[in-house]
């Protein structure tokens, strides 16, 4: 409590840096997939499984909508008009194009049925009857497969991350609070830098301990898939 303010600030910053570095290492090594062999990239990757790996059901939904628009099965048209002639919004709806080309894709068929009613673009993600919710059940197989392949973060890793992050967060907060209370009680008010350092360190703690959806193996596999898709695109452009 009697340590001069600048020295305590240096102690706090040093403690925060060392603690956060150790925390990042603990979280990193808690992922048991970091040393596992990479999965082989399939010759014909499933675009929807790759989308789910990249961003879950919202990413699958985005790809499905784009696919339906590209096929002409869903159209984006003017919605309600102000004064009868000024369009104020766009709506999405089924076109008259046949859905025969998507009969073997359950995700596209479900999305096409969802568009049988006129929809606002924001309905896709935010309405009670959103397309994302409709497709979540169909994405369950993807999630199960990714868990089986250890491409998603496990519950055990989440426990380590939460426990370590909470411990570091409380330790830094208590250390700072101890000095702040002591400074106020001795009528020392030059505590602005300590408050700023505390806030920054807590934000950094939250960033270091944030949940990552993919495991180390999952992130490596996603990079491999992205490289594979890039190669396929380049080959398609170069082909006569």
């Amino acid at each position: 409590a009697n340590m001069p303010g600048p020295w305590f600030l240096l102690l706090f910053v040093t403690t925060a840096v060392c603690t956060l570095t150790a925390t990042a290492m603990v979280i990193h090594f808690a992922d048991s997939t970091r040393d596992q062999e990479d999965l082989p990239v399939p010759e014909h990757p499933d675009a929807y499984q790759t989308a789910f790996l990249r961003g879950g059901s919202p990413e699958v939904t985005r790809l499905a909508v784009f696919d339906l628009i590209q096929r002409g099965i869903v159209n984006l048209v003017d919605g309600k008009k102000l004064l009868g002639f000024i369009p104020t919004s766009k709506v999405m709806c089924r076109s008259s194009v046949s859905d025969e080309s998507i009969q073997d894709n359950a995700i596209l068929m479900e999305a096409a049925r969802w568009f049988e009613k006129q929809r606002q673009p924001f309905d896709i993600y935010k309405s009670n009857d959103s397309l994302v919710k409709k497709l979540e059940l169909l994405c369950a197989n993807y999630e199960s497969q990714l868990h089986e392949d250890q491409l998603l973060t496990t519950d055990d890793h989440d426990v380590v991350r939460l426990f370590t992050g909470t411990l570091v967060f409380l330790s830094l907060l208590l250390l700072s609070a101890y000095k702040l209370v002591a400074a106020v009680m001795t009528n020392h008010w030059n505590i602005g830098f300590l408050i700023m350092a505390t806030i920054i360190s807590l934000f950094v703690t939250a960033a270091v301990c944030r949940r990552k959806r993919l495991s180390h193996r999952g992130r490596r596999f996603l990079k491999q898939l992205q490289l594979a898709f890039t190669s396929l695109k380049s080959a398609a452009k170069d082909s006569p």
Side-chain angles (χ1 to χ4, degrees):
N2 296 324
M3 183 182 292
W7 285 106
F8 186 87
L9 181 62
L10 179 61
L11 172 65
F12 180 83
V13 171
T14 302
T15 302
V17 170
C18 293
T19 304
L20 289 171
T21 301
T23 300
M25 292 179 65
V26 168
I27 293 174
H28 174 80
F29 287 106
D31 188 344
S32 59
T33 68
R34 69 185 186 282
D35 296 324
Q36 291 182 354
E37 292 184 2
D38 292 338
L39 287 174
V41 177
E43 186 176 352
H44 302 290
D46 183 339
Y48 286 92
Q49 185 176 32
T50 302
F52 187 83
L53 178 66
R54 187 170 60 243
S57 53
E59 193 68 24
V60 171
T61 303
R62 187 177 295 111
L63 177 60
V65 172
F66 177 78
D67 200 348
L68 290 174
I69 292 174
Q70 287 289 98
R71 294 170 185 266
I73 296 174
V74 169
N75 289 332
L76 184 64
V77 298
D78 290 335
K80 295 180 179 179
K81 296 184 178 182
L82 183 65
L83 302 178
F85 64 93
I86 303 175
T88 58
S89 62
K90 293 285 187 178
V91 296
M92 307 177 79
C93 59
R94 278 289 301 268
S95 69
S96 58
V97 175
S98 171
D99 58 10
E100 287 185 8
S101 62
I102 61 172
Q103 291 288 337
D104 59 343
N105 189 314
I107 289 176
L108 287 180
M109 287 298 295
E110 181 65 31
R113 282 193 291 269
W114 188 81
F115 280 111
E116 287 176 356
K117 291 168 52 179
Q118 284 194 350
R119 306 283 186 173
Q120 299 283 348
F122 64 80
D123 289 337
I124 296 171
Y125 298 99
K126 297 182 179 180
S127 68
N128 294 329
D129 183 36
S130 69
L131 182 56
V132 173
K133 292 180 181 178
K134 291 287 186 183
L135 298 185
E136 276 180 355
L137 291 176
L138 295 176
C139 292
N141 290 336
Y142 291 143
E143 186 170 9
S144 298
Q145 184 62 50
L146 295 181
H147 272 299
E148 186 177 330
D149 292 335
Q150 296 183 301
L151 301 180
L152 301 179
T153 300
T154 63
D155 292 338
D156 290 341
H157 187 262
D158 279 342
V159 170
V160 172
R161 177 185 58 82
L162 286 172
F163 177 78
T164 307
T166 302
L167 185 63
V168 171
F169 190 92
L170 292 177
S171 299
L172 293 176
L173 191 61
L174 288 173
L175 179 61
S176 175
Y178 168 75
K179 181 59 177 177
L180 290 174
V181 171
V184 171
M185 292 180 65
T186 55
N187 205 30
H188 290 86
W189 299 98
N190 54 338
I191 54 178
F193 284 113
L194 179 58
I195 293 175
M196 187 182 303
T198 303
I199 293 173
I200 292 173
S201 66
L202 296 182
F203 272 108
V204 174
T205 301
V208 168
C209 299
R210 75 186 186 280
R211 187 180 190 278
K212 293 181 179 178
R213 186 170 166 274
L214 303 183
S215 65
H216 280 282
R217 195 185 199 193
R219 293 194 290 274
R220 294 196 307 268
F221 185 62
L222 181 58
K223 287 182 181 179
Q224 290 177 300
L225 285 174
Q226 289 171 337
L227 288 174
F229 275 118
T230 301
S231 300
L232 288 173
K233 287 180 181 179
S234 299
K237 289 181 180 178
D238 295 339
S239 61

Short mmCIF file of all heavy atoms in Angstrom, two decimals, residues 18 25 37 53 60 64 81 89 116 153-154 171 181-182 187 202 213 220-221 229 237:
data_model
loop_
_atom_site.label_atom_id
_atom_site.label_comp_id
_atom_site.label_asym_id
_atom_site.label_seq_id
_atom_site.Cartn_x
_atom_site.Cartn_y
_atom_site.Cartn_z
N CYS A 18 2.89 -10.54 -17.94
CA CYS A 18 3.34 -11.91 -17.67
C CYS A 18 2.16 -12.86 -17.51
O CYS A 18 2.16 -13.98 -18.04
CB CYS A 18 4.21 -11.93 -16.41
SG CYS A 18 5.78 -11.05 -16.59
N MET A 25 -0.70 -19.03 -23.34
CA MET A 25 0.00 -20.30 -23.54
C MET A 25 -0.81 -21.47 -22.98
O MET A 25 -0.89 -22.54 -23.59
CB MET A 25 1.38 -20.23 -22.89
CG MET A 25 2.34 -19.26 -23.56
SD MET A 25 3.94 -19.19 -22.74
CE MET A 25 4.55 -20.85 -23.03
N GLU A 37 -2.52 -34.98 -36.65
CA GLU A 37 -2.30 -34.91 -38.09
C GLU A 37 -3.46 -34.19 -38.76
O GLU A 37 -4.61 -34.28 -38.33
CB GLU A 37 -2.17 -36.32 -38.68
CG GLU A 37 -0.91 -37.05 -38.25
CD GLU A 37 -0.79 -38.40 -38.93
OE1 GLU A 37 -1.66 -38.73 -39.77
OE2 GLU A 37 0.18 -39.13 -38.63
N LEU A 53 -18.33 -25.05 -41.43
CA LEU A 53 -17.06 -25.00 -40.72
C LEU A 53 -16.60 -23.55 -40.55
O LEU A 53 -16.11 -23.16 -39.49
CB LEU A 53 -16.01 -25.81 -41.49
CG LEU A 53 -14.59 -25.81 -40.92
CD1 LEU A 53 -14.56 -26.52 -39.57
CD2 LEU A 53 -13.61 -26.49 -41.88
N VAL A 60 -24.01 -21.06 -43.77
CA VAL A 60 -24.72 -21.99 -44.66
C VAL A 60 -25.93 -21.30 -45.29
O VAL A 60 -26.20 -21.44 -46.48
CB VAL A 60 -25.17 -23.24 -43.87
CG1 VAL A 60 -26.10 -24.11 -44.73
CG2 VAL A 60 -23.96 -24.05 -43.44
N ALA A 64 -26.73 -20.66 -49.21
CA ALA A 64 -27.96 -21.20 -49.81
C ALA A 64 -28.74 -20.11 -50.55
O ALA A 64 -29.22 -20.32 -51.66
CB ALA A 64 -28.82 -21.85 -48.73
N LYS A 81 -44.32 0.36 -52.20
CA LYS A 81 -43.90 1.61 -52.82
C LYS A 81 -44.56 2.80 -52.13
O LYS A 81 -45.75 2.76 -51.79
CB LYS A 81 -44.25 1.61 -54.31
CG LYS A 81 -43.51 0.54 -55.10
CD LYS A 81 -43.80 0.63 -56.58
CE LYS A 81 -43.01 -0.43 -57.34
NZ LYS A 81 -43.24 -0.34 -58.81
N SER A 89 -38.38 -0.62 -50.32
CA SER A 89 -37.65 -1.79 -49.83
C SER A 89 -37.63 -2.86 -50.91
O SER A 89 -38.34 -2.79 -51.90
CB SER A 89 -38.31 -2.34 -48.56
OG SER A 89 -39.63 -2.76 -48.84
N GLU A 116 -41.36 -19.28 -50.46
CA GLU A 116 -42.65 -19.30 -51.14
C GLU A 116 -43.52 -18.11 -50.72
O GLU A 116 -44.41 -17.70 -51.45
CB GLU A 116 -43.36 -20.63 -50.86
CG GLU A 116 -42.72 -21.80 -51.62
CD GLU A 116 -43.35 -23.13 -51.28
OE1 GLU A 116 -44.24 -23.14 -50.38
OE2 GLU A 116 -42.97 -24.15 -51.89
N THR A 153 -14.11 -26.65 -31.28
CA THR A 153 -13.63 -26.56 -29.90
C THR A 153 -14.44 -27.48 -28.99
O THR A 153 -15.67 -27.54 -29.09
CB THR A 153 -13.74 -25.11 -29.41
OG1 THR A 153 -12.94 -24.28 -30.25
CG2 THR A 153 -13.25 -24.98 -27.98
N THR A 154 -13.76 -28.16 -28.09
CA THR A 154 -14.43 -29.10 -27.20
C THR A 154 -14.88 -28.41 -25.91
O THR A 154 -14.40 -27.32 -25.56
CB THR A 154 -13.48 -30.25 -26.82
OG1 THR A 154 -12.35 -29.71 -26.11
CG2 THR A 154 -12.98 -30.96 -28.07
N SER A 171 -7.90 -11.64 -10.51
CA SER A 171 -6.60 -11.32 -9.91
C SER A 171 -6.17 -9.90 -10.25
O SER A 171 -5.75 -9.13 -9.37
CB SER A 171 -5.54 -12.33 -10.39
OG SER A 171 -5.88 -13.63 -10.00
N VAL A 181 -8.01 1.62 -3.51
CA VAL A 181 -8.59 1.88 -2.18
C VAL A 181 -7.55 2.50 -1.27
O VAL A 181 -7.83 3.48 -0.53
CB VAL A 181 -9.14 0.57 -1.57
CG1 VAL A 181 -9.53 0.78 -0.11
CG2 VAL A 181 -10.33 0.08 -2.37
N ALA A 182 -6.32 1.97 -1.31
CA ALA A 182 -5.25 2.52 -0.47
C ALA A 182 -4.96 3.97 -0.85
O ALA A 182 -4.73 4.82 0.02
CB ALA A 182 -4.00 1.67 -0.61
N ASN A 187 -5.66 9.82 0.56
CA ASN A 187 -5.91 11.09 -0.14
C ASN A 187 -4.93 11.32 -1.30
O ASN A 187 -4.50 12.45 -1.55
CB ASN A 187 -5.85 12.26 0.84
CG ASN A 187 -6.67 13.45 0.34
OD1 ASN A 187 -7.66 13.29 -0.37
ND2 ASN A 187 -6.25 14.67 0.68
N LEU A 202 -8.05 -5.60 -18.62
CA LEU A 202 -9.26 -6.42 -18.57
C LEU A 202 -9.81 -6.69 -19.96
O LEU A 202 -10.30 -7.80 -20.25
CB LEU A 202 -10.31 -5.74 -17.68
CG LEU A 202 -9.94 -5.59 -16.20
CD1 LEU A 202 -11.07 -4.94 -15.42
CD2 LEU A 202 -9.57 -6.93 -15.58
N ARG A 213 -14.38 -20.84 -32.09
CA ARG A 213 -15.30 -21.91 -32.51
C ARG A 213 -14.55 -23.13 -33.03
O ARG A 213 -14.96 -24.27 -32.80
CB ARG A 213 -16.23 -21.35 -33.58
CG ARG A 213 -17.33 -22.29 -34.01
CD ARG A 213 -18.34 -21.57 -34.89
NE ARG A 213 -19.18 -22.56 -35.54
CZ ARG A 213 -18.85 -23.16 -36.68
NH1 ARG A 213 -17.74 -22.85 -37.30
NH2 ARG A 213 -19.66 -24.06 -37.21
N ARG A 220 -6.61 -25.23 -39.21
CA ARG A 220 -5.68 -25.69 -40.24
C ARG A 220 -6.43 -26.30 -41.42
O ARG A 220 -6.10 -26.06 -42.59
CB ARG A 220 -4.70 -26.72 -39.66
CG ARG A 220 -3.74 -26.17 -38.62
CD ARG A 220 -2.56 -27.12 -38.39
NE ARG A 220 -2.98 -28.47 -38.09
CZ ARG A 220 -3.17 -28.95 -36.85
NH1 ARG A 220 -3.02 -28.14 -35.81
NH2 ARG A 220 -3.51 -30.20 -36.65
N PHE A 221 -7.46 -27.10 -41.10
CA PHE A 221 -8.23 -27.75 -42.16
C PHE A 221 -8.97 -26.73 -43.01
O PHE A 221 -9.06 -26.87 -44.23
CB PHE A 221 -9.22 -28.74 -41.53
CG PHE A 221 -9.98 -29.56 -42.54
CD1 PHE A 221 -9.34 -30.43 -43.40
CD2 PHE A 221 -11.36 -29.46 -42.62
CE1 PHE A 221 -10.04 -31.19 -44.32
CE2 PHE A 221 -12.08 -30.21 -43.54
CZ PHE A 221 -11.41 -31.08 -44.39
N PHE A 229 -10.06 -24.63 -52.78
CA PHE A 229 -11.05 -23.91 -53.59
C PHE A 229 -10.37 -22.86 -54.47
O PHE A 229 -10.77 -22.65 -55.62
CB PHE A 229 -12.07 -23.23 -52.67
CG PHE A 229 -13.20 -24.14 -52.25
CD1 PHE A 229 -13.40 -24.45 -50.92
CD2 PHE A 229 -14.06 -24.69 -53.19
CE1 PHE A 229 -14.43 -25.28 -50.52
CE2 PHE A 229 -15.09 -25.54 -52.81
CZ PHE A 229 -15.28 -25.83 -51.47
N LYS A 237 -10.36 -20.98 -64.44
CA LYS A 237 -10.10 -19.79 -65.25
C LYS A 237 -9.11 -20.07 -66.36
O LYS A 237 -9.20 -19.53 -67.46
CB LYS A 237 -9.57 -18.66 -64.35
CG LYS A 237 -10.63 -18.06 -63.43
CD LYS A 237 -10.02 -16.94 -62.60
CE LYS A 237 -11.07 -16.32 -61.68
NZ LYS A 237 -10.48 -15.24 -60.81
#
